Short mmCIF file of all heavy atoms in Angstrom, two decimals:
data_model
loop_
_atom_site.label_atom_id
_atom_site.label_comp_id
_atom_site.label_asym_id
_atom_site.label_seq_id
_atom_site.Cartn_x
_atom_site.Cartn_y
_atom_site.Cartn_z
N MET A 1 2.64 -26.14 -0.55
CA MET A 1 3.92 -25.44 -0.45
C MET A 1 3.66 -23.95 -0.28
O MET A 1 2.86 -23.36 -1.00
CB MET A 1 4.74 -25.70 -1.72
CG MET A 1 6.13 -25.11 -1.65
SD MET A 1 7.14 -25.60 -3.05
CE MET A 1 6.62 -24.41 -4.27
N ALA A 2 4.29 -23.34 0.70
CA ALA A 2 4.09 -21.92 0.96
C ALA A 2 4.74 -21.08 -0.14
O ALA A 2 5.80 -21.43 -0.65
CB ALA A 2 4.70 -21.56 2.30
N VAL A 3 4.06 -20.01 -0.49
CA VAL A 3 4.60 -19.09 -1.49
C VAL A 3 5.55 -18.14 -0.80
O VAL A 3 5.19 -17.54 0.22
CB VAL A 3 3.46 -18.30 -2.18
CG1 VAL A 3 4.03 -17.30 -3.16
CG2 VAL A 3 2.48 -19.23 -2.83
N THR A 4 6.75 -18.00 -1.33
CA THR A 4 7.67 -17.05 -0.72
C THR A 4 7.35 -15.63 -1.20
O THR A 4 6.73 -15.43 -2.24
CB THR A 4 9.13 -17.38 -1.07
OG1 THR A 4 9.23 -17.54 -2.47
CG2 THR A 4 9.58 -18.62 -0.37
N LYS A 5 7.77 -14.68 -0.41
CA LYS A 5 7.45 -13.28 -0.69
C LYS A 5 8.73 -12.47 -0.82
O LYS A 5 9.75 -12.78 -0.21
CB LYS A 5 6.63 -12.70 0.47
CG LYS A 5 5.34 -13.42 0.75
CD LYS A 5 4.28 -12.97 -0.20
CE LYS A 5 2.92 -13.52 0.21
NZ LYS A 5 1.88 -13.13 -0.73
N ARG A 6 8.62 -11.39 -1.59
CA ARG A 6 9.71 -10.42 -1.70
C ARG A 6 9.13 -9.03 -1.50
O ARG A 6 7.96 -8.79 -1.76
CB ARG A 6 10.35 -10.47 -3.10
CG ARG A 6 11.08 -11.74 -3.40
CD ARG A 6 11.56 -11.72 -4.86
NE ARG A 6 11.99 -13.03 -5.28
CZ ARG A 6 13.24 -13.48 -5.20
NH1 ARG A 6 14.18 -12.68 -4.75
NH2 ARG A 6 13.56 -14.68 -5.60
N LEU A 7 9.99 -8.11 -1.10
CA LEU A 7 9.56 -6.72 -0.94
C LEU A 7 9.75 -5.96 -2.23
O LEU A 7 10.74 -6.17 -2.96
CB LEU A 7 10.38 -6.04 0.15
CG LEU A 7 9.92 -6.14 1.59
CD1 LEU A 7 10.94 -5.45 2.48
CD2 LEU A 7 8.53 -5.55 1.79
N ARG A 8 8.82 -5.06 -2.51
CA ARG A 8 8.94 -4.13 -3.63
C ARG A 8 8.60 -2.74 -3.14
O ARG A 8 7.77 -2.58 -2.26
CB ARG A 8 7.94 -4.48 -4.74
CG ARG A 8 8.22 -5.76 -5.46
CD ARG A 8 9.28 -5.57 -6.53
NE ARG A 8 9.47 -6.79 -7.29
CZ ARG A 8 10.25 -7.79 -6.92
NH1 ARG A 8 10.91 -7.71 -5.79
NH2 ARG A 8 10.38 -8.86 -7.66
N VAL A 9 9.23 -1.75 -3.73
CA VAL A 9 8.86 -0.38 -3.38
C VAL A 9 8.51 0.39 -4.65
O VAL A 9 9.17 0.25 -5.68
CB VAL A 9 10.00 0.34 -2.60
CG1 VAL A 9 11.26 0.43 -3.41
CG2 VAL A 9 9.55 1.71 -2.11
N ASP A 10 7.45 1.16 -4.56
CA ASP A 10 7.04 2.04 -5.64
C ASP A 10 7.74 3.37 -5.41
O ASP A 10 7.34 4.16 -4.55
CB ASP A 10 5.51 2.20 -5.60
CG ASP A 10 5.01 3.17 -6.65
OD1 ASP A 10 5.83 3.88 -7.27
OD2 ASP A 10 3.78 3.25 -6.82
N MET A 11 8.81 3.61 -6.14
CA MET A 11 9.64 4.79 -5.89
C MET A 11 8.93 6.09 -6.26
O MET A 11 9.32 7.17 -5.82
CB MET A 11 10.98 4.69 -6.63
CG MET A 11 11.88 3.60 -6.07
SD MET A 11 12.17 3.73 -4.28
CE MET A 11 13.13 5.24 -4.20
N ILE A 12 7.89 5.99 -7.07
CA ILE A 12 7.12 7.19 -7.40
C ILE A 12 6.24 7.60 -6.22
O ILE A 12 6.13 8.77 -5.88
CB ILE A 12 6.28 6.96 -8.67
CG1 ILE A 12 7.23 6.77 -9.85
CG2 ILE A 12 5.31 8.12 -8.91
CD1 ILE A 12 6.57 6.40 -11.14
N ALA A 13 5.68 6.60 -5.55
CA ALA A 13 4.82 6.87 -4.39
C ALA A 13 5.63 7.18 -3.14
O ALA A 13 5.18 7.93 -2.27
CB ALA A 13 3.90 5.68 -4.14
N CYS A 14 6.83 6.63 -3.04
CA CYS A 14 7.64 6.77 -1.83
C CYS A 14 8.01 8.22 -1.57
O CYS A 14 8.45 8.93 -2.46
CB CYS A 14 8.91 5.93 -1.98
SG CYS A 14 10.08 6.15 -0.62
N ASP A 15 7.82 8.64 -0.31
CA ASP A 15 8.16 10.00 0.09
C ASP A 15 9.47 10.10 0.85
O ASP A 15 9.84 11.17 1.31
CB ASP A 15 7.05 10.56 0.99
CG ASP A 15 5.82 10.95 0.20
OD1 ASP A 15 5.94 11.19 -1.00
OD2 ASP A 15 4.73 11.01 0.82
N GLY A 16 10.12 8.95 1.05
CA GLY A 16 11.39 8.96 1.77
C GLY A 16 11.24 9.22 3.26
O GLY A 16 12.11 9.83 3.88
N HIS A 17 10.15 8.77 3.84
CA HIS A 17 9.96 8.94 5.28
C HIS A 17 10.98 8.13 6.08
O HIS A 17 11.33 8.52 7.19
CB HIS A 17 8.56 8.49 5.71
CG HIS A 17 7.45 9.29 5.12
ND1 HIS A 17 7.10 10.52 5.60
CD2 HIS A 17 6.63 9.04 4.08
CE1 HIS A 17 6.09 10.97 4.90
NE2 HIS A 17 5.79 10.10 3.97
N GLY A 18 11.35 7.01 5.54
CA GLY A 18 12.35 6.17 6.21
C GLY A 18 11.79 5.26 7.28
O GLY A 18 12.54 4.54 7.94
N VAL A 19 10.48 5.28 7.47
CA VAL A 19 9.87 4.43 8.50
C VAL A 19 10.18 2.96 8.23
O VAL A 19 10.46 2.19 9.15
CB VAL A 19 8.34 4.64 8.53
CG1 VAL A 19 7.70 3.71 9.54
CG2 VAL A 19 8.03 6.09 8.86
N CYS A 20 10.15 2.58 6.98
CA CYS A 20 10.33 1.17 6.62
C CYS A 20 11.70 0.66 7.07
O CYS A 20 11.81 -0.47 7.54
CB CYS A 20 10.17 0.99 5.12
SG CYS A 20 11.22 2.06 4.13
N ALA A 21 12.72 1.47 6.95
CA ALA A 21 14.06 1.02 7.34
C ALA A 21 14.18 0.86 8.84
O ALA A 21 14.94 0.02 9.32
CB ALA A 21 15.11 2.01 6.82
N GLU A 22 13.41 1.65 9.58
CA GLU A 22 13.41 1.48 11.04
C GLU A 22 12.67 0.21 11.43
O GLU A 22 13.06 -0.48 12.36
CB GLU A 22 12.72 2.68 11.70
CG GLU A 22 13.54 3.94 11.66
CD GLU A 22 12.81 5.10 12.31
OE1 GLU A 22 12.01 4.86 13.24
OE2 GLU A 22 13.02 6.23 11.87
N LEU A 23 11.60 -0.08 10.71
CA LEU A 23 10.76 -1.24 11.05
C LEU A 23 11.32 -2.55 10.53
O LEU A 23 11.05 -3.61 11.10
CB LEU A 23 9.35 -1.04 10.48
CG LEU A 23 8.55 0.08 11.11
CD1 LEU A 23 7.26 0.30 10.34
CD2 LEU A 23 8.25 -0.22 12.56
N PHE A 24 12.08 -2.50 9.44
CA PHE A 24 12.54 -3.74 8.84
C PHE A 24 13.98 -3.59 8.34
O PHE A 24 14.26 -3.71 7.13
CB PHE A 24 11.60 -4.14 7.70
CG PHE A 24 11.73 -5.57 7.29
CD1 PHE A 24 11.90 -6.58 8.22
CD2 PHE A 24 11.68 -5.91 5.95
CE1 PHE A 24 12.03 -7.90 7.83
CE2 PHE A 24 11.80 -7.22 5.54
CZ PHE A 24 11.98 -8.22 6.48
N PRO A 25 14.90 -3.32 9.26
CA PRO A 25 16.29 -3.09 8.86
C PRO A 25 16.97 -4.33 8.29
O PRO A 25 18.01 -4.21 7.64
CB PRO A 25 16.96 -2.65 10.17
CG PRO A 25 16.11 -3.23 11.25
CD PRO A 25 14.71 -3.22 10.72
N GLU A 26 16.34 -5.49 8.51
CA GLU A 26 16.95 -6.73 7.96
C GLU A 26 17.00 -6.69 6.43
O GLU A 26 17.86 -7.32 5.82
CB GLU A 26 16.13 -7.95 8.39
CG GLU A 26 16.19 -8.25 9.87
CD GLU A 26 15.12 -7.50 10.66
OE1 GLU A 26 14.48 -6.59 10.12
OE2 GLU A 26 14.95 -7.84 11.85
N ARG A 27 16.08 -5.96 5.81
CA ARG A 27 16.02 -5.94 4.35
C ARG A 27 15.95 -4.54 3.74
O ARG A 27 15.96 -4.42 2.51
CB ARG A 27 14.79 -6.73 3.86
CG ARG A 27 14.92 -8.21 4.10
CD ARG A 27 16.11 -8.75 3.31
NE ARG A 27 16.48 -10.08 3.70
CZ ARG A 27 15.91 -11.18 3.29
NH1 ARG A 27 14.92 -11.11 2.44
NH2 ARG A 27 16.32 -12.34 3.70
N ILE A 28 15.84 -3.51 4.57
CA ILE A 28 15.70 -2.16 4.00
C ILE A 28 16.72 -1.22 4.64
O ILE A 28 16.80 -1.10 5.86
CB ILE A 28 14.28 -1.59 4.24
CG1 ILE A 28 13.21 -2.55 3.71
CG2 ILE A 28 14.14 -0.22 3.59
CD1 ILE A 28 11.79 -2.13 4.04
N GLN A 29 17.49 -0.58 3.79
CA GLN A 29 18.42 0.46 4.22
C GLN A 29 18.04 1.75 3.51
O GLN A 29 17.30 1.71 2.54
CB GLN A 29 19.84 0.07 3.84
CG GLN A 29 20.18 -1.34 4.26
CD GLN A 29 21.56 -1.44 4.85
OE1 GLN A 29 22.44 -0.71 4.45
NE2 GLN A 29 21.74 -2.35 5.78
N LEU A 30 18.54 2.86 3.98
CA LEU A 30 18.24 4.13 3.33
C LEU A 30 19.46 4.66 2.61
O LEU A 30 20.59 4.51 3.08
CB LEU A 30 17.78 5.17 4.37
CG LEU A 30 16.51 4.82 5.14
CD1 LEU A 30 16.17 5.95 6.12
CD2 LEU A 30 15.33 4.57 4.20
N ASP A 31 19.22 5.30 1.46
CA ASP A 31 20.34 5.93 0.77
C ASP A 31 20.60 7.30 1.40
O ASP A 31 19.97 7.68 2.39
CB ASP A 31 20.07 6.00 -0.75
CG ASP A 31 18.92 6.95 -1.11
OD1 ASP A 31 18.50 7.75 -0.25
OD2 ASP A 31 18.45 6.88 -2.26
N ASP A 32 21.50 8.06 0.83
CA ASP A 32 21.90 9.34 1.42
C ASP A 32 20.76 10.35 1.46
O ASP A 32 20.82 11.34 2.19
CB ASP A 32 23.07 9.94 0.65
CG ASP A 32 24.35 9.13 0.84
OD1 ASP A 32 24.39 8.31 1.80
OD2 ASP A 32 25.28 9.29 0.05
N TRP A 33 19.72 10.13 0.66
CA TRP A 33 18.60 11.07 0.60
C TRP A 33 17.39 10.56 1.40
O TRP A 33 16.32 11.15 1.36
CB TRP A 33 18.19 11.32 -0.85
CG TRP A 33 19.29 12.00 -1.60
CD1 TRP A 33 19.48 13.34 -1.74
CD2 TRP A 33 20.36 11.37 -2.31
NE1 TRP A 33 20.61 13.59 -2.47
CE2 TRP A 33 21.17 12.40 -2.85
CE3 TRP A 33 20.73 10.05 -2.55
CZ2 TRP A 33 22.32 12.14 -3.59
CZ3 TRP A 33 21.87 9.79 -3.29
CH2 TRP A 33 22.64 10.83 -3.81
N GLY A 34 17.56 9.43 2.05
CA GLY A 34 16.48 8.89 2.89
C GLY A 34 15.51 7.99 2.15
O GLY A 34 14.46 7.64 2.69
N PHE A 35 15.89 7.61 0.93
CA PHE A 35 15.02 6.70 0.18
C PHE A 35 15.49 5.26 0.35
O PHE A 35 16.69 5.01 0.52
CB PHE A 35 14.98 7.10 -1.30
CG PHE A 35 14.16 8.33 -1.54
CD1 PHE A 35 14.76 9.58 -1.51
CD2 PHE A 35 12.80 8.24 -1.75
CE1 PHE A 35 14.00 10.73 -1.69
CE2 PHE A 35 12.03 9.38 -1.93
CZ PHE A 35 12.63 10.63 -1.90
N PRO A 36 14.55 4.33 0.32
CA PRO A 36 14.90 2.95 0.66
C PRO A 36 15.66 2.21 -0.43
O PRO A 36 15.42 2.38 -1.62
CB PRO A 36 13.52 2.30 0.87
CG PRO A 36 12.59 3.11 0.07
CD PRO A 36 13.12 4.51 0.07
N ILE A 37 16.60 1.41 0.03
CA ILE A 37 17.28 0.45 -0.81
C ILE A 37 16.83 -0.91 -0.31
O ILE A 37 17.08 -1.28 0.84
CB ILE A 37 18.81 0.57 -0.68
CG1 ILE A 37 19.26 1.98 -1.05
CG2 ILE A 37 19.51 -0.49 -1.52
CD1 ILE A 37 20.69 2.28 -0.66
N ILE A 38 16.11 -1.62 -1.18
CA ILE A 38 15.47 -2.87 -0.78
C ILE A 38 16.32 -4.06 -1.18
O ILE A 38 16.76 -4.16 -2.32
CB ILE A 38 14.10 -3.01 -1.48
CG1 ILE A 38 13.23 -1.78 -1.24
CG2 ILE A 38 13.41 -4.31 -1.08
CD1 ILE A 38 12.55 -1.72 0.06
N ASP A 39 16.54 -4.94 -0.22
CA ASP A 39 17.11 -6.25 -0.53
C ASP A 39 15.93 -7.13 -0.92
O ASP A 39 15.08 -7.42 -0.08
CB ASP A 39 17.82 -6.80 0.70
CG ASP A 39 18.36 -8.21 0.48
OD1 ASP A 39 18.01 -8.83 -0.54
OD2 ASP A 39 19.11 -8.68 1.34
N ASP A 40 15.84 -7.51 -2.18
CA ASP A 40 14.64 -8.22 -2.62
C ASP A 40 14.79 -9.75 -2.57
O ASP A 40 14.09 -10.47 -3.26
CB ASP A 40 14.18 -7.74 -3.99
CG ASP A 40 15.03 -8.29 -5.12
OD1 ASP A 40 16.16 -8.74 -4.83
OD2 ASP A 40 14.58 -8.28 -6.27
N ALA A 41 15.70 -10.21 -1.75
CA ALA A 41 15.82 -11.66 -1.56
C ALA A 41 14.53 -12.18 -0.92
O ALA A 41 13.83 -11.42 -0.24
CB ALA A 41 17.01 -11.97 -0.65
N PRO A 42 14.19 -13.43 -1.16
CA PRO A 42 12.98 -13.99 -0.55
C PRO A 42 13.01 -13.81 0.97
O PRO A 42 14.06 -13.94 1.60
CB PRO A 42 13.04 -15.48 -0.91
CG PRO A 42 13.88 -15.53 -2.13
CD PRO A 42 14.88 -14.42 -1.99
N ILE A 43 11.85 -13.51 1.52
CA ILE A 43 11.75 -13.24 2.95
C ILE A 43 11.37 -14.53 3.68
O ILE A 43 10.31 -15.10 3.40
CB ILE A 43 10.71 -12.14 3.22
CG1 ILE A 43 11.18 -10.87 2.52
CG2 ILE A 43 10.54 -11.92 4.71
CD1 ILE A 43 10.20 -9.75 2.56
N PRO A 44 12.21 -14.97 4.58
CA PRO A 44 11.89 -16.20 5.31
C PRO A 44 10.70 -16.00 6.25
O PRO A 44 10.40 -14.87 6.66
CB PRO A 44 13.17 -16.51 6.09
CG PRO A 44 13.89 -15.21 6.19
CD PRO A 44 13.48 -14.39 4.99
N GLU A 45 10.06 -17.09 6.56
CA GLU A 45 8.85 -17.08 7.40
C GLU A 45 9.05 -16.28 8.68
O GLU A 45 8.19 -15.50 9.09
CB GLU A 45 8.49 -18.54 7.73
CG GLU A 45 7.16 -18.70 8.40
CD GLU A 45 5.98 -18.46 7.46
OE1 GLU A 45 6.12 -18.73 6.26
OE2 GLU A 45 4.94 -17.97 7.94
N ARG A 46 10.20 -16.43 9.30
CA ARG A 46 10.42 -15.78 10.59
C ARG A 46 10.46 -14.25 10.48
O ARG A 46 10.30 -13.55 11.48
CB ARG A 46 11.72 -16.30 11.23
CG ARG A 46 12.96 -15.90 10.47
CD ARG A 46 14.23 -16.52 11.01
NE ARG A 46 15.32 -16.33 10.08
CZ ARG A 46 16.03 -15.22 9.98
NH1 ARG A 46 15.79 -14.22 10.79
NH2 ARG A 46 16.97 -15.12 9.08
N LEU A 47 10.67 -13.72 9.28
CA LEU A 47 10.73 -12.26 9.11
C LEU A 47 9.46 -11.68 8.49
O LEU A 47 9.32 -10.46 8.36
CB LEU A 47 11.92 -11.88 8.22
CG LEU A 47 13.30 -12.14 8.80
CD1 LEU A 47 14.38 -11.74 7.79
CD2 LEU A 47 13.50 -11.37 10.10
N LEU A 48 8.52 -12.55 8.13
CA LEU A 48 7.33 -12.07 7.42
C LEU A 48 6.49 -11.10 8.26
O LEU A 48 5.95 -10.13 7.73
CB LEU A 48 6.46 -13.25 6.99
CG LEU A 48 6.73 -13.79 5.58
CD1 LEU A 48 5.78 -14.94 5.30
CD2 LEU A 48 6.60 -12.71 4.53
N LYS A 49 6.39 -11.37 9.53
CA LYS A 49 5.58 -10.50 10.39
C LYS A 49 6.15 -9.07 10.37
O LYS A 49 5.41 -8.09 10.23
CB LYS A 49 5.56 -11.06 11.81
CG LYS A 49 4.62 -10.33 12.73
CD LYS A 49 4.59 -11.01 14.08
CE LYS A 49 3.94 -10.10 15.10
NZ LYS A 49 4.22 -10.52 16.47
N ASP A 50 7.46 -8.94 10.50
CA ASP A 50 8.07 -7.61 10.48
C ASP A 50 7.94 -6.96 9.11
O ASP A 50 7.74 -5.75 9.00
CB ASP A 50 9.56 -7.72 10.85
CG ASP A 50 9.73 -8.08 12.32
OD1 ASP A 50 8.78 -7.92 13.10
OD2 ASP A 50 10.83 -8.53 12.68
N ALA A 51 8.05 -7.77 8.05
CA ALA A 51 7.90 -7.23 6.70
C ALA A 51 6.48 -6.69 6.50
O ALA A 51 6.28 -5.59 5.96
CB ALA A 51 8.21 -8.31 5.67
N ARG A 52 5.50 -7.45 6.96
CA ARG A 52 4.10 -7.01 6.80
C ARG A 52 3.84 -5.73 7.60
O ARG A 52 3.09 -4.85 7.17
CB ARG A 52 3.14 -8.11 7.28
CG ARG A 52 3.11 -9.28 6.34
CD ARG A 52 1.86 -10.14 6.55
NE ARG A 52 1.81 -11.18 5.54
CZ ARG A 52 2.18 -12.44 5.75
NH1 ARG A 52 2.61 -12.81 6.93
NH2 ARG A 52 2.12 -13.32 4.77
N ARG A 53 4.46 -5.64 8.74
CA ARG A 53 4.29 -4.44 9.57
C ARG A 53 4.85 -3.21 8.84
O ARG A 53 4.24 -2.14 8.83
CB ARG A 53 5.01 -4.66 10.91
CG ARG A 53 4.74 -3.61 11.91
CD ARG A 53 4.99 -4.12 13.32
NE ARG A 53 4.90 -3.03 14.26
CZ ARG A 53 5.96 -2.38 14.74
NH1 ARG A 53 7.17 -2.76 14.41
NH2 ARG A 53 5.82 -1.36 15.55
N ALA A 54 6.01 -3.36 8.23
CA ALA A 54 6.60 -2.25 7.48
C ALA A 54 5.70 -1.84 6.32
O ALA A 54 5.50 -0.65 6.05
CB ALA A 54 7.99 -2.64 6.97
N VAL A 55 5.14 -2.83 5.63
CA VAL A 55 4.23 -2.55 4.51
C VAL A 55 3.00 -1.79 5.01
O VAL A 55 2.59 -0.78 4.43
CB VAL A 55 3.80 -3.87 3.83
CG1 VAL A 55 2.63 -3.65 2.89
CG2 VAL A 55 4.99 -4.47 3.08
N THR A 56 2.44 -2.24 6.11
CA THR A 56 1.22 -1.63 6.64
C THR A 56 1.46 -0.21 7.12
O THR A 56 0.61 0.67 6.95
CB THR A 56 0.68 -2.48 7.82
OG1 THR A 56 0.42 -3.79 7.33
CG2 THR A 56 -0.59 -1.90 8.38
N LEU A 57 2.62 0.04 7.71
CA LEU A 57 2.86 1.34 8.33
C LEU A 57 3.55 2.35 7.41
O LEU A 57 3.78 3.48 7.82
CB LEU A 57 3.67 1.15 9.61
CG LEU A 57 2.93 0.39 10.72
CD1 LEU A 57 3.80 0.23 11.96
CD2 LEU A 57 1.63 1.09 11.09
N CYS A 58 3.87 1.96 6.21
CA CYS A 58 4.44 2.94 5.26
C CYS A 58 3.41 4.04 5.03
O CYS A 58 2.31 3.77 4.55
CB CYS A 58 4.78 2.26 3.94
SG CYS A 58 5.16 3.44 2.63
N PRO A 59 3.74 5.29 5.35
CA PRO A 59 2.76 6.38 5.24
C PRO A 59 2.31 6.64 3.80
O PRO A 59 1.22 7.17 3.58
CB PRO A 59 3.52 7.60 5.77
CG PRO A 59 4.69 7.07 6.50
CD PRO A 59 5.02 5.74 5.89
N ALA A 60 3.12 6.26 2.84
CA ALA A 60 2.78 6.53 1.45
C ALA A 60 2.21 5.30 0.74
O ALA A 60 1.93 5.35 -0.46
CB ALA A 60 4.03 7.02 0.70
N LEU A 61 2.04 4.21 1.47
CA LEU A 61 1.57 2.94 0.89
C LEU A 61 2.43 2.54 -0.31
O LEU A 61 1.93 2.05 -1.31
CB LEU A 61 0.09 3.05 0.48
CG LEU A 61 -0.88 3.49 1.58
CD1 LEU A 61 -2.30 3.59 1.03
CD2 LEU A 61 -0.84 2.53 2.76
N ALA A 62 3.72 2.77 -0.18
CA ALA A 62 4.63 2.52 -1.30
C ALA A 62 5.29 1.15 -1.25
O ALA A 62 5.92 0.74 -2.21
CB ALA A 62 5.71 3.60 -1.33
N LEU A 63 5.14 0.48 -0.13
CA LEU A 63 5.78 -0.84 0.01
C LEU A 63 4.77 -1.94 -0.28
O LEU A 63 3.61 -1.85 0.12
CB LEU A 63 6.28 -1.03 1.44
CG LEU A 63 7.71 -0.65 1.80
CD1 LEU A 63 7.98 -1.07 3.23
CD2 LEU A 63 8.71 -1.26 0.86
N GLN A 64 5.25 -3.00 -0.91
CA GLN A 64 4.40 -4.16 -1.18
C GLN A 64 5.16 -5.43 -0.90
O GLN A 64 6.38 -5.49 -1.09
CB GLN A 64 4.01 -4.20 -2.65
CG GLN A 64 2.95 -3.23 -3.07
CD GLN A 64 2.57 -3.48 -4.50
OE1 GLN A 64 3.43 -3.66 -5.36
NE2 GLN A 64 1.29 -3.53 -4.77
N LEU A 65 4.42 -6.44 -0.49
CA LEU A 65 4.95 -7.80 -0.44
C LEU A 65 4.38 -8.52 -1.64
O LEU A 65 3.16 -8.61 -1.80
CB LEU A 65 4.50 -8.50 0.84
CG LEU A 65 5.43 -8.48 2.03
CD1 LEU A 65 4.78 -9.20 3.19
CD2 LEU A 65 6.77 -9.10 1.71
N VAL A 66 5.23 -9.03 -2.49
CA VAL A 66 4.74 -9.70 -3.70
C VAL A 66 5.17 -11.16 -3.68
O VAL A 66 6.18 -11.53 -3.07
CB VAL A 66 5.26 -9.01 -4.98
CG1 VAL A 66 4.76 -7.59 -5.04
CG2 VAL A 66 6.77 -9.04 -5.05
N ASP A 67 4.37 -11.98 -4.36
CA ASP A 67 4.71 -13.40 -4.47
C ASP A 67 5.99 -13.55 -5.28
O ASP A 67 6.21 -12.82 -6.26
CB ASP A 67 3.60 -14.17 -5.17
CG ASP A 67 2.35 -14.26 -4.30
OD1 ASP A 67 2.44 -13.96 -3.10
OD2 ASP A 67 1.30 -14.61 -4.85
N ASP A 68 6.81 -14.46 -4.85
CA ASP A 68 8.06 -14.74 -5.55
C ASP A 68 7.77 -15.60 -6.77
O ASP A 68 7.33 -16.74 -6.62
CB ASP A 68 9.01 -15.46 -4.60
CG ASP A 68 10.33 -15.75 -5.24
OD1 ASP A 68 10.59 -15.22 -6.34
OD2 ASP A 68 11.11 -16.52 -4.66
N THR A 69 8.01 -15.05 -7.94
CA THR A 69 7.73 -15.82 -9.16
C THR A 69 9.01 -16.31 -9.81
O THR A 69 8.98 -16.95 -10.86
CB THR A 69 6.95 -14.96 -10.18
OG1 THR A 69 7.68 -13.75 -10.40
CG2 THR A 69 5.58 -14.64 -9.66
N ARG A 70 10.15 -15.99 -9.20
CA ARG A 70 11.42 -16.44 -9.77
C ARG A 70 11.66 -17.91 -9.46
O ARG A 70 11.20 -18.42 -8.45
CB ARG A 70 12.59 -15.66 -9.20
CG ARG A 70 12.54 -14.20 -9.55
CD ARG A 70 13.82 -13.58 -9.06
NE ARG A 70 13.60 -12.19 -8.73
CZ ARG A 70 14.50 -11.46 -8.10
NH1 ARG A 70 15.65 -11.96 -7.73
NH2 ARG A 70 14.26 -10.21 -7.85
N ARG A 71 12.42 -18.53 -10.26
CA ARG A 71 12.80 -19.94 -10.02
C ARG A 71 14.29 -20.02 -9.90
O ARG A 71 15.02 -19.29 -10.47
CB ARG A 71 12.33 -20.84 -11.16
CG ARG A 71 10.84 -20.89 -11.25
CD ARG A 71 10.25 -21.74 -10.13
NE ARG A 71 8.82 -21.51 -10.04
CZ ARG A 71 8.11 -21.69 -8.94
NH1 ARG A 71 8.70 -22.05 -7.84
NH2 ARG A 71 6.83 -21.50 -8.94
S1 SF4 B 101 8.21 4.08 4.72
FE1 SF4 B 101 7.29 4.11 2.66
S2 SF4 B 101 7.42 6.24 2.03
FE2 SF4 B 101 8.83 5.97 3.71
S3 SF4 B 101 10.84 5.48 2.78
FE3 SF4 B 101 9.80 3.55 3.22
S4 SF4 B 101 8.72 3.03 1.32
FE4 SF4 B 101 9.22 5.19 1.23
#
């Protein structure tokens, strides 16, 4: 069984570049100050590639994909 993933952001590391919201608007929006608001619902397989790209390209390395441990 595949492990589902969720997005997490480290708000201390985040610089508010906003790149993540451009790369993955399906789950990331920006607040009025340019910081991300993450929809942490499980990410379906079809969106994982885009989610991984946003994680990789975050300039502050503040985004993570974590295993879903909720039931
Ligand atoms: S790309 Fe990274 S540093 Fe920029 S707003 Fe998103 S999480 Fe923060």
Side-chain angles (χ1 to χ4, degrees):
M1 185 173 83
V3 177
T4 51
K5 302 279 189 182
R6 293 175 193 268
L7 273 177
R8 291 278 185 276
V9 61
D10 177 349
M11 291 306 293
I12 294 174
C14 174
D15 284 338
H17 296 281
V19 177
C20 54
E22 288 179 30
L23 293 172
F24 197 41
E26 293 87 349
R27 291 297 167 83
I28 305 174
Q29 311 223 327
L30 298 181
D31 67 14
D32 291 344
W33 295 270
F35 286 91
I37 301 168
I38 306 281
D39 176 349
D40 76 342
I43 298 174
E45 189 72 31
R46 67 186 168 81
L47 293 179
L48 267 181
K49 187 176 166 197
D50 290 342
R52 288 199 175 100
R53 189 157 172 262
V55 167
T56 301
L57 294 179
C58 168
L61 305 179
L63 268 186
Q64 284 186 314
L65 265 179
V66 298
D67 291 347
D68 181 11
T69 54
R70 296 186 209 170
R71 295 286 166 205

